Amino acid sequence: MAVVNVEELSALEKYLGLTKGNKYSTRGDQQVPVLQTSDGPSLVGLITIAVHLARQASKGHLLGGTAEEKAVVQQWLEYRITQISGLTNREDICSSLKDLNQYLEDKVYLAGHNMTLADILMYYGLHPIMVGFTVQEKERYLNVSRWFNHIQHCPGVRQHLSGIVFLKNRLYC
């Protein structure tokens, strides 16, 4: 999981236009990512570091525009860590995706009307799951699939990750 988190942070740096140079390490049994800043204390945790990077890049809009949007972004960042990170049990994956699918029923983005840090990190967290899904499994979570497909086509987000194919027409009766 830690290697994935460090890769996510590197991809986020690139998306944000930050020059590489941050050094990441991991801590503890769960291999939580750690960033040693040049002028301050170490930052610990995927979300803490990601928020710091967004602010460092002067991309505060990715954290939400209004107080409510900021809270919703934070909510989905927490969901990403508590409900998506490290999922291996099929039942838990299905339960988390069912909740997310229901939430996305009438939404384009997780928070507000623009892409936020929550969308980017949720995309990175779901990518390994979506890669392994069959067409039928992706159709079971139609709203998640629609959202995921939209985010993967936003400039700069996907980067080195493989594109996930979603069928638009059902080929079976």
Side-chain angles (χ1 to χ4, degrees), residues 126-134 137-138 148 161-164:
L126 288 176
H127 189 274
I129 294 168
M130 298 301 277
V131 164
F133 271 10
T134 64
E137 287 172 314
K138 288 181 227 172
F148 188 94
L161 298 173
S162 60
I164 308 293

Side-chain angles (χ1 to χ4, degrees), residues 39-53:
D39 57 350
S42 297
L43 301 177
V44 179
L46 177 65
I47 302 308
T48 302
I49 297 169
V51 168
H52 168 75
L53 293 175

Side-chain angles (χ1 to χ4, degrees), residues 160-173:
H160 67 283
L161 298 173
S162 60
I164 308 293
V165 176
F166 295 90
L167 294 179
K168 293 185 174 144
N169 298 326
R170 291 191 174 147
L171 300 177
Y172 48 88
C173 300

Side-chain angles (χ1 to χ4, degrees), residues 2-3 5-6 9 13 22-28 30-37 40-50 52-53:
V3 173
N5 286 341
V6 170
L9 291 169
E13 280 184 351
N22 284 319
K23 300 285 188 249
Y24 300 103
S25 60
T26 58
R27 180 185 293 172
Q30 294 186 342
Q31 299 291 293
V32 176
V34 177
L35 169 64
Q36 179 59 53
T37 61
S42 297
L43 301 177
V44 179
L46 177 65
I47 302 308
T48 302
I49 297 169
H52 168 75
L53 293 175

Side-chain angles (χ1 to χ4, degrees), residues 76 79 84 93-110 119 122-123 125-127 129-131 133 137-152 164-166:
W76 285 107
Y79 187 89
I84 303 297
I93 291 170
C94 291
S95 176
S96 292
L97 287 179
K98 183 180 175 188
D99 292 343
L100 184 57
N101 195 62
Q102 185 177 359
Y103 178 80
L104 287 168
E105 187 172 1
D106 61 349
K107 293 172 183 57
V108 176
Y109 300 103
L110 292 171
D119 294 293
M122 188 70 77
Y123 168 80
L126 288 176
H127 189 274
I129 294 168
M130 298 301 277
V131 164
F133 271 10
E137 287 172 314
K138 288 181 227 172
E139 284 184 357
R140 188 176 308 140
Y141 305 105
L142 198 58
N143 299 318
V144 171
S145 294
R146 171 189 44 77
W147 168 85
F148 188 94
N149 193 41
H150 175 67
I151 299 301
Q152 82 173 343
I164 308 293
V165 176
F166 295 90

